[in-house]
Amino acid sequence: MVEHSEPEIRKVKAEIQGNAENSEKDYERKAEEQGKSGKEIGTQYTGVPSEEFCISCLNMPDEQRKNMILEIQQVAEKILKSHGVIKEPDDLLKGEWFLKLQKRGFEKKLVLAKSGEEIFIGFYIYQEEAPVPDPNLVLLSQYGLWYPQRIEEKFEETVASFFTGAYGDYDFLNVVPENVEKFQACQRDFVKTLEDQGWDGPDVEVVDRIMPKD
């Protein structure tokens, strides 16, 4: 299998905004509040819960799990399954993976990839063989659940969350609320586009595929 370097992993460059937020504690507080009110924990919240919670979510029935994950993760898992990259949600944790697709009559190619803790789901156009995102959604993967990180659109990006300390240290995960709202709206529009265009269908060509490994 040919090894690809796209999409390129870039560290988010942003000024420190406000105090570092402990997302797991925020999540637990919100979960407790919602539990008291009898509401389910939805995908609007961007905090990162505990490992125990996330792992148990992987084993939930599909209908129940849909309430816990973003719409973009739902449709991405569907596409990954239909093209043989994963069989079950647990496969998302088996290392890095890469899927590049194209459809007849479409200039853009669809790329879904996992590199480190980052998930990339986006359309790419190619200018002199250089991939240009149009757009690309980057999400943070934590124990099989994905959270908004940034939107890449050609040569611009909108940062929804970033680390001000060591990458992956969630005591230093900062969230930009207004950009999270933009991300939520963008991912819903993107999901509708992917579903309308049928990227999980049999007429889609697999250009390249790298399977996850244990």
Side-chain angles (χ1 to χ4, degrees), residues 55-181:
I55 296 299
S56 64
C57 180
L58 288 172
N59 299 319
M60 288 179 180
D62 288 343
E63 288 304 314
Q64 184 179 359
R65 188 167 176 268
K66 284 181 180 179
N67 294 321
M68 312 301 298
I69 63 178
L70 291 168
E71 293 91 340
I72 192 65
Q73 182 170 355
Q74 295 177 34
V75 75
E77 289 182 5
K78 185 178 179 182
I79 293 171
L80 291 168
K81 285 180 181 179
S82 68
H83 297 294
V85 177
I86 66 172
K87 294 182 179 179
E88 302 294 338
D90 285 353
D91 294 336
L92 296 169
L93 304 179
K94 294 180 179 178
E96 300 184 347
W97 37 263
F98 181 91
L99 180 64
K100 183 177 180 181
L101 305 171
Q102 69 177 18
K103 284 175 65 77
R104 182 176 298 178
F106 283 78
E107 177 188 7
K108 300 177 184 178
K109 293 180 174 60
L110 178 64
V111 172
L112 299 90
K114 180 176 184 288
S115 180
E117 293 185 335
E118 290 186 318
I119 303 291
F120 300 84
I121 306 170
F123 284 130
Y124 283 82
I125 55 178
Y126 289 80
Q127 298 179 352
E128 297 180 355
E129 299 186 357
V132 179
D134 188 29
N136 178 49
L137 302 183
V138 184
L139 300 102
L140 183 67
S141 174
Q142 180 71 353
Y143 306 119
L145 296 183
W146 303 350
Y147 304 91
Q149 190 160 57
R150 66 184 182 272
I151 305 169
E152 299 175 337
E153 297 180 271
K154 294 187 177 177
F155 302 105
E156 299 179 0
E157 68 176 29
T158 302
V159 177
S161 65
F162 59 97
F163 292 99
T164 55
Y167 192 90
D169 185 346
Y170 292 96
D171 285 339
F172 296 94
L173 177 65
N174 280 242
V175 174
V176 185
E178 60 271 24
N179 288 349
V180 169
E181 292 181 8

